[in-house]
Short mmCIF file of all heavy atoms in Angstrom, two decimals:
data_model
loop_
_atom_site.label_atom_id
_atom_site.label_comp_id
_atom_site.label_asym_id
_atom_site.label_seq_id
_atom_site.Cartn_x
_atom_site.Cartn_y
_atom_site.Cartn_z
N LEU A 6 -118.92 2.16 -8.21
CA LEU A 6 -118.86 2.67 -6.85
C LEU A 6 -120.26 2.64 -6.25
O LEU A 6 -121.27 2.72 -6.96
CB LEU A 6 -118.35 4.12 -6.89
CG LEU A 6 -117.90 4.76 -5.58
CD1 LEU A 6 -116.61 4.12 -5.08
CD2 LEU A 6 -117.66 6.26 -5.80
N ALA A 41 -128.60 -2.39 -2.41
CA ALA A 41 -127.82 -3.53 -1.94
C ALA A 41 -126.43 -3.50 -2.56
O ALA A 41 -126.29 -3.29 -3.77
CB ALA A 41 -128.50 -4.83 -2.33
N THR A 64 -111.03 29.84 -13.89
CA THR A 64 -109.69 29.44 -13.44
C THR A 64 -108.67 29.67 -14.53
O THR A 64 -109.01 29.92 -15.70
CB THR A 64 -109.64 27.95 -13.02
OG1 THR A 64 -109.59 27.14 -14.20
CG2 THR A 64 -110.84 27.59 -12.18
N GLY A 125 -92.45 23.26 -18.65
CA GLY A 125 -93.42 22.28 -18.14
C GLY A 125 -94.57 21.93 -19.06
O GLY A 125 -95.42 21.14 -18.68
N THR A 129 -96.96 20.49 -28.11
CA THR A 129 -97.00 19.59 -29.28
C THR A 129 -98.12 19.97 -30.24
O THR A 129 -98.43 19.21 -31.14
CB THR A 129 -97.19 18.13 -28.83
OG1 THR A 129 -98.38 18.04 -28.03
CG2 THR A 129 -95.99 17.66 -28.02
N TRP A 130 -98.74 21.11 -30.06
CA TRP A 130 -99.88 21.53 -30.86
C TRP A 130 -99.69 22.98 -31.32
O TRP A 130 -98.89 23.74 -30.79
CB TRP A 130 -101.15 21.45 -30.00
CG TRP A 130 -101.08 22.35 -28.80
CD1 TRP A 130 -101.34 23.69 -28.72
CD2 TRP A 130 -100.68 21.95 -27.48
NE1 TRP A 130 -101.12 24.16 -27.46
CE2 TRP A 130 -100.74 23.10 -26.67
CE3 TRP A 130 -100.29 20.73 -26.90
CZ2 TRP A 130 -100.38 23.09 -25.30
CZ3 TRP A 130 -99.97 20.71 -25.55
CH2 TRP A 130 -100.01 21.88 -24.77
N VAL A 162 -104.10 34.93 -36.49
CA VAL A 162 -104.49 35.48 -37.80
C VAL A 162 -103.63 36.69 -38.20
O VAL A 162 -103.29 36.85 -39.37
CB VAL A 162 -105.98 35.86 -37.79
CG1 VAL A 162 -106.40 36.59 -39.06
CG2 VAL A 162 -106.84 34.59 -37.60
N VAL A 225 -120.46 33.84 -34.85
CA VAL A 225 -120.02 32.44 -34.78
C VAL A 225 -120.49 31.83 -33.47
O VAL A 225 -120.96 30.67 -33.46
CB VAL A 225 -118.49 32.34 -34.92
CG1 VAL A 225 -118.02 30.90 -34.73
CG2 VAL A 225 -118.05 32.86 -36.28
N THR A 232 -122.99 27.50 -26.56
CA THR A 232 -121.74 28.11 -26.20
C THR A 232 -122.01 29.50 -25.61
O THR A 232 -123.07 30.10 -25.80
CB THR A 232 -120.77 28.23 -27.39
OG1 THR A 232 -121.39 28.99 -28.45
CG2 THR A 232 -120.43 26.84 -27.91
N ALA A 240 -113.72 47.22 -14.93
CA ALA A 240 -114.37 47.47 -13.63
C ALA A 240 -113.47 48.22 -12.67
O ALA A 240 -113.94 48.95 -11.80
CB ALA A 240 -114.82 46.15 -13.03
N CYS A 257 -124.21 41.19 -27.72
CA CYS A 257 -124.67 39.84 -27.37
C CYS A 257 -126.21 39.73 -27.43
O CYS A 257 -126.73 38.71 -27.90
CB CYS A 257 -124.22 39.46 -25.96
SG CYS A 257 -122.43 39.20 -25.86
N ALA A 294 -130.73 41.44 -23.12
CA ALA A 294 -129.43 40.80 -23.00
C ALA A 294 -129.54 39.60 -22.06
O ALA A 294 -130.49 39.45 -21.30
CB ALA A 294 -128.38 41.78 -22.50
N THR A 298 -123.55 38.13 -13.87
CA THR A 298 -122.46 38.65 -13.06
C THR A 298 -121.70 37.49 -12.42
O THR A 298 -122.29 36.66 -11.71
CB THR A 298 -123.01 39.57 -11.97
OG1 THR A 298 -123.68 40.66 -12.58
CG2 THR A 298 -121.89 40.07 -11.06
N HIS A 324 -92.95 48.88 -11.06
CA HIS A 324 -93.17 47.86 -12.09
C HIS A 324 -91.86 47.40 -12.67
O HIS A 324 -91.67 46.18 -12.89
CB HIS A 324 -94.09 48.49 -13.18
CG HIS A 324 -94.34 47.57 -14.35
ND1 HIS A 324 -95.06 46.41 -14.22
CD2 HIS A 324 -93.97 47.69 -15.64
CE1 HIS A 324 -95.14 45.82 -15.41
NE2 HIS A 324 -94.50 46.58 -16.28
N ASP A 330 -84.57 40.48 -12.82
CA ASP A 330 -84.47 39.05 -12.57
C ASP A 330 -83.97 38.65 -11.18
O ASP A 330 -84.48 37.73 -10.58
CB ASP A 330 -83.53 38.41 -13.62
CG ASP A 330 -84.17 38.37 -14.99
OD1 ASP A 330 -85.43 38.39 -15.08
OD2 ASP A 330 -83.45 38.36 -16.00
N SER A 331 -82.96 39.33 -10.67
CA SER A 331 -82.30 38.85 -9.43
C SER A 331 -82.58 39.74 -8.24
O SER A 331 -82.82 40.95 -8.37
CB SER A 331 -80.79 38.77 -9.66
OG SER A 331 -80.24 40.07 -9.77
N HIS A 350 -91.96 59.86 -7.45
CA HIS A 350 -92.72 60.60 -8.47
C HIS A 350 -93.79 59.70 -9.10
O HIS A 350 -94.95 60.08 -9.25
CB HIS A 350 -91.78 61.13 -9.56
CG HIS A 350 -92.51 61.71 -10.73
ND1 HIS A 350 -92.89 60.96 -11.83
CD2 HIS A 350 -92.95 62.97 -10.95
CE1 HIS A 350 -93.53 61.73 -12.68
NE2 HIS A 350 -93.56 62.95 -12.18
N PRO A 375 -88.98 38.50 9.59
CA PRO A 375 -88.67 39.92 9.52
C PRO A 375 -87.57 40.33 10.48
O PRO A 375 -87.52 39.87 11.62
CB PRO A 375 -90.01 40.57 9.90
CG PRO A 375 -90.68 39.58 10.76
CD PRO A 375 -90.25 38.22 10.19
N ASP A 398 -90.66 55.21 -0.18
CA ASP A 398 -89.42 54.96 0.56
C ASP A 398 -89.64 53.99 1.73
O ASP A 398 -88.77 53.19 2.04
CB ASP A 398 -88.85 56.27 1.08
CG ASP A 398 -88.25 57.12 -0.03
OD1 ASP A 398 -87.66 56.55 -0.97
OD2 ASP A 398 -88.43 58.34 0.01
N LEU A 433 -129.36 35.90 -12.66
CA LEU A 433 -128.45 36.72 -13.47
C LEU A 433 -127.03 36.67 -12.92
O LEU A 433 -126.27 37.61 -13.08
CB LEU A 433 -128.94 38.17 -13.49
CG LEU A 433 -130.40 38.40 -13.92
CD1 LEU A 433 -130.71 39.87 -13.91
CD2 LEU A 433 -130.68 37.78 -15.26
N ALA A 451 -108.30 28.43 -4.95
CA ALA A 451 -109.03 27.19 -4.72
C ALA A 451 -109.76 27.25 -3.38
O ALA A 451 -109.28 27.78 -2.40
CB ALA A 451 -108.08 26.01 -4.75
N THR A 459 -119.74 26.85 3.85
CA THR A 459 -119.59 27.01 5.29
C THR A 459 -120.07 28.36 5.77
O THR A 459 -120.73 28.46 6.80
CB THR A 459 -118.14 26.80 5.73
OG1 THR A 459 -117.26 27.67 5.00
CG2 THR A 459 -117.71 25.34 5.47
N ILE A 493 -127.32 15.21 -9.60
CA ILE A 493 -127.29 13.78 -9.29
C ILE A 493 -128.59 13.19 -9.78
O ILE A 493 -129.67 13.47 -9.29
CB ILE A 493 -127.10 13.53 -7.79
CG1 ILE A 493 -125.72 14.01 -7.34
CG2 ILE A 493 -127.30 12.06 -7.45
CD1 ILE A 493 -125.50 13.85 -5.85
N VAL A 515 -100.84 27.67 2.29
CA VAL A 515 -99.50 27.22 2.62
C VAL A 515 -98.63 27.37 1.39
O VAL A 515 -99.10 27.31 0.26
CB VAL A 515 -99.49 25.73 3.06
CG1 VAL A 515 -100.19 25.56 4.38
CG2 VAL A 515 -100.15 24.84 2.00
N SER A 524 -89.46 26.80 -8.06
CA SER A 524 -90.03 27.95 -7.39
C SER A 524 -91.26 27.52 -6.60
O SER A 524 -91.66 26.36 -6.64
CB SER A 524 -90.41 29.01 -8.43
OG SER A 524 -90.83 30.19 -7.79
N ALA A 536 -114.95 12.48 0.56
CA ALA A 536 -114.53 11.96 -0.74
C ALA A 536 -114.88 12.96 -1.84
O ALA A 536 -115.85 13.71 -1.74
CB ALA A 536 -115.20 10.63 -1.04
N ASP A 547 -110.42 9.48 2.41
CA ASP A 547 -109.72 9.17 3.67
C ASP A 547 -108.65 10.20 3.96
O ASP A 547 -107.57 9.88 4.47
CB ASP A 547 -109.12 7.77 3.62
CG ASP A 547 -110.16 6.70 3.41
OD1 ASP A 547 -111.28 6.85 3.98
OD2 ASP A 547 -109.89 5.73 2.66
N ALA A 565 -120.22 17.06 -27.87
CA ALA A 565 -119.97 15.93 -26.98
C ALA A 565 -120.41 14.60 -27.62
O ALA A 565 -121.35 14.54 -28.41
CB ALA A 565 -120.73 16.13 -25.67
#
Side-chain angles (χ1 to χ4, degrees):
L6 194 69
T64 77
T129 56
W130 60 82
V162 173
V225 175
T232 58
C257 291
T298 299
H324 176 65
D330 289 336
S331 69
H350 172 271
D398 288 323
L433 308 180
T459 55
I493 293 178
V515 292
S524 187
D547 301 322

